[in-house]
Amino acid sequence: MKQFYRFLSHIMCGKAKKYFRKLYEEEFLQYKNLLNKMDYIIQRADISERALLYMMSPTRKDITDIQIPTLNLLKDLKSICIKNNIQFWLQGGSLLGAIRHGGFIPWDDDADCGMMRVDCKKLEEFLKQNEDFAIIDCYGIRKYDGMAYQMKKFINKHNPKINIDLFVYDYIDINNHNKIFDIWNEYQEQKQNMKNEILALDVENEDCEIHDIKIKQKISKIIRKYTKNYNATDGNSIIFGIEQIPSKFMRVYSKDVIFPLRKIYFCDDYFYAPNHVYEYLERQYGNIWRLPHDVGDAHHMFSEWSYSHSLQNNNKKMIIGYTAGAFDVFHIGHLNLLKRAKENCDYLIVGVTTDELIQATKNKSPLATLDERMEILRQIKYVDQVVVQDDLDKVAAWERYHYDKLFSGDDWCGNPRWKKYEQELKKIGVDVIYFPYTKTISSTKIKDFIMNNAEV
Ligand code: CTP
């Protein structure tokens, strides 16, 4: 353990070291057993990758020139919010940076915060007459891939180029947790309808941020129609505001994942983080101690520059692999598949099929819940990220995860659906690789065995 500490100290320099110490002393020492926490990190981190993360993309002056005023703006936002009894939390890259680097991710150049819609309205009301600060609404349309959104930014009116992305969340009530996918699907449908209405507007430039005030008003009117139902001031769950950029992962959280907020250090000040900060982050990024797989894609913080730069330094192109299945009653056949898959890629994403989809495709229910099956997979050392598979279509999964290789047991080889995937994926340079199905075992065999040998 000491060696691990010494190693971390060695790879971190000055400021980062100070915040690491602060973070662990103040956040983790309160737990009975610090060693458990360190074990948690070791288990989840391949140390060499972690070291790589720290060595990646040293901060450049043009980035610090943005980070410093952005930090000041965050402090302004905090003091206004405290005065008005408004809560907000760090999210996305800012939260990841707070946990992993004690401040900004070295190559990140913006700040992301989350806030409940009710609080955001309160803040907007307060800032209406403010001479220095404001919340602005930005609108974007991208017809080529059907994107249409509204985003809020907190700005200093005297330097609007520096701003903070404010993501709005709504309260909802979910009485039956199994319904969470239905709720998310319904939300996605509404979002699609909203986007269709916006994209049907007569906008000249088809790929742009909207500046025309009349168009903005029209979009805003459409958005109000869709957001007006989200007016609850409390609820047992929290969902990402429907009008915002599309989410690549399911952004519905039980309220206790976010509240009560807890303090977290970010640079030289404290801010707030969701209550279950690791659950919140892992939903978005998978294992945060591993090399990010969505570099240059999901978020500009993983800019192409930092990605290619860091990977060039290591002379390595990162191969992303994807496999999916029910993974019910985990067994050696599953393990063999995952081991072989990981031997053939650098970052393995595993899709776990929802109960509904298993029922629909295999005409039976899994023994373990989706959460349990996902948790087991998260603990497998070959697996880097676990995601929900709610759609069998592997081409749609490629659109989400941009993997380089698709893996499966050879029980699917020759299947017409898989032949089609092979053709489609070949066009985008993705290999489909089949490994020998471990014939001696399957989830069904185990369940049958138990049934047949159960004592009566
Ligand atoms: N797999 C494998 N060898 C096995 C079982 C599964 O290689 N003995 C592979 C499958 O080909 C698939 C992945 O593991 O790529 C997940 O399969 P899943 O359907 O969860 O496993 P089974 O045990 O076959 O499930 P069931 O008996 O319910 O069909």
Side-chain angles (χ1 to χ4, degrees):
M1 187 59 59
K2 267 190 197 150
Q3 257 174 335
F4 174 61
Y5 247 129
R6 228 177 286 137
F7 174 71
L8 275 185
S9 305
H10 186 67
I11 59 171
M12 288 190 287
C13 57
K15 222 174 163 197
K17 215 188 268 183
K18 189 172 131 207
Y19 292 124
F20 176 83
R21 220 176 285 135
K22 239 186 197 174
L23 181 74
Y24 285 94
E25 277 168 13
E26 295 188 8
E27 292 289 313
F28 287 164
L29 273 180
Q30 52 180 297
Y31 291 94
K32 271 193 202 148
N33 194 342
L34 173 68
L35 291 183
N36 279 349
K37 280 284 154 192
M38 300 310 283
D39 279 345
Y40 170 87
I41 292 166
I42 291 169
Q43 263 173 31
R44 281 169 183 252
D46 171 342
I47 295 295
S48 61
E49 266 191 43
R50 184 164 184 175
L52 191 61
L53 270 168
Y54 279 101
M55 289 186 285
M56 264 168 103
S57 317
T59 299
R60 301 175 310 182
K61 186 173 178 313
D62 55 343
I63 299 180
T64 37
D65 283 351
I66 302 176
Q67 288 177 345
I68 293 164
T70 304
L71 174 63
N72 290 334
L73 191 61
L74 263 177
K75 292 179 186 178
D76 292 329
L77 177 64
K78 184 175 115 177
S79 76
I80 293 172
C81 286
I82 288 178
K83 269 188 219 137
N84 287 278
N85 200 15
I86 289 170
Q87 306 200 72
F88 76 94
W89 61 91
L90 298 183
Q91 73 152 52
S94 302
L95 184 60
L96 183 57
I99 292 281
R100 211 170 57 187
H101 308 268
F104 288 97
I105 294 176
W107 56 93
D108 196 6
D109 61 357
D110 80 340
D112 301 318
C113 295
M115 186 180 277
M116 298 311 299
R117 191 182 297 278
V118 273
D119 277 340
C120 190
K121 281 188 182 154
K122 210 160 133 187
L123 183 62
E124 281 177 312
E125 197 53 44
F126 174 77
L127 292 178
K128 256 185 190 159
Q129 309 301 332
N130 196 293
E131 286 180 1
D132 301 319
F133 302 103
I135 290 189
I136 54 165
D137 286 317
C138 304
Y139 299 87
I141 285 190
R142 260 191 1 216
K143 285 205 174 171
Y144 73 89
D145 64 355
M147 182 115 111
Y149 61 87
Q150 182 194 35
M151 273 208 51
K152 290 193 184 290
K153 284 179 187 284
F154 176 70
I155 57 158
N156 179 331
K157 290 181 181 173
H158 312 294
N159 185 9
K161 274 195 183 157
I162 303 294
N163 51 63
I164 292 170
D165 288 341
L166 266 189
F167 293 95
V168 173
Y169 290 77
D170 290 296
Y171 284 112
I172 52 168
D173 266 317
I174 302 179
N175 299 324
N176 177 353
H177 197 70
N178 292 333
K179 293 268 178 258
I180 193 159
F181 294 104
D182 298 342
I183 288 168
W184 184 247
N185 288 341
E186 200 182 302
Y187 164 100
Q188 295 287 25
E189 260 173 46
Q190 283 178 33
K191 196 178 182 84
Q192 192 56 51
N193 294 341
M194 180 192 82
K195 283 195 289 188
N196 291 346
E197 280 193 47
I198 297 175
L199 292 168
L201 292 173
D202 191 16
V203 181
E204 243 176 57
N205 191 339
E206 302 200 334
D207 174 14
C208 63
E209 193 177 321
I210 307 291
H211 297 293
D212 181 319
I213 190 91
K214 283 200 180 122
I215 305 272
K216 278 188 185 182
Q217 282 167 350
K218 282 185 191 167
I219 301 180
S220 174
K221 196 173 162 200
I222 297 173
I223 286 175
R224 274 203 304 279
K225 196 168 87 186
Y226 286 88
T227 51
K228 74 170 191 282
N229 298 332
Y230 292 101
N231 54 9
T233 51
D234 200 1
N236 64 13
S237 305
I238 283 165
I239 194 164
F240 192 58
I242 194 164
E243 73 277 30
Q244 298 167 124
I245 49 166
S247 175
K248 294 196 169 203
F249 59 98
M250 196 169 71
R251 285 203 203 206
V252 191
Y253 306 91
S254 108
K255 187 180 172 184
D256 71 316
V257 171
I258 297 189
F259 294 112
L261 299 178
R262 62 183 183 119
K263 278 186 182 173
I264 193 162
Y265 275 89
F266 185 87
C267 299
D268 61 355
D269 201 352
Y270 75 86
F271 293 90
Y272 290 92
N275 182 24
H276 295 304
V277 63
Y278 283 102
E279 187 176 337
Y280 186 84
L281 276 175
E282 287 191 354
R283 184 91 72 84
Q284 184 165 5
Y285 298 108
N287 183 342
I288 61 165
W289 303 108
R290 307 296 296 262
L291 274 172
H293 78 285
D294 49 357
V295 262
D297 167 27
H299 202 285
H300 61 96
M301 71 182 173
F302 301 126
S303 64
E304 305 246 6
W305 176 78
S306 67
Y307 184 50
S308 53
H309 176 83
S310 59
L311 294 183
Q312 260 166 26
N313 281 352
N314 293 287
N315 268 339
K316 183 182 165 203
K317 181 191 179 308
M318 192 152 155
I319 307 290
I320 300 166
Y322 180 74
T323 190
F327 297 100
D328 192 23
V329 201
F330 195 86
H331 55 69
I332 191 72
H334 294 141
L335 197 65
N336 288 340
L337 173 93
L338 298 173
K339 183 169 185 278
R340 287 170 181 145
K342 183 64 191 208
E343 281 164 4
N344 282 273
C345 68
D346 300 304
Y347 189 95
L348 181 62
I349 305 176
V350 180
V352 185
T353 317
T354 60
D355 298 0
E356 292 81 356
L357 200 54
I358 296 177
Q359 186 64 50
T361 50
K362 297 193 176 187
N363 195 24
K364 57 187 170 196
S365 321
L367 203 70
T369 65
L370 178 64
D371 280 350
E372 288 164 350
R373 290 180 283 123
M374 289 180 80
E375 185 50 27
I376 290 170
L377 282 158
R378 276 189 207 108
Q379 302 307 327
I380 306 290
K381 69 175 180 183
Y382 308 117
V383 177
D384 296 296
Q385 189 179 356
V386 181
V387 296
V388 172
Q389 172 173 248
D390 52 8
D391 176 354
L392 283 187
D393 187 348
K394 303 296 180 282
V395 181
W398 181 84
E399 277 159 17
R400 276 194 199 170
Y401 308 117
H402 289 260
Y403 53 77
D404 303 293
K405 293 181 181 178
L406 173 66
F407 305 111
S408 171
D410 63 7
D411 48 328
W412 291 104
C413 189
N415 171 291
R417 185 159 52 83
W418 279 77
K419 276 191 184 158
K420 217 168 142 219
Y421 295 150
E422 283 169 35
Q423 284 163 6
E424 295 278 306
L425 292 171
K426 199 173 170 193
K427 289 183 208 154
I428 40 180
V430 173
D431 295 329
V432 181
I433 299 172
Y434 300 99
F435 300 118
Y437 186 87
T438 309
K439 294 208 170 54
T440 48
I441 195 95
S442 78
S443 306
T444 311
K445 275 188 185 162
I446 298 177
K447 286 187 248 183
D448 289 349
F449 179 84
I450 296 171
M451 284 293 286
N452 296 334
N453 290 280
E455 283 183 29
V456 196

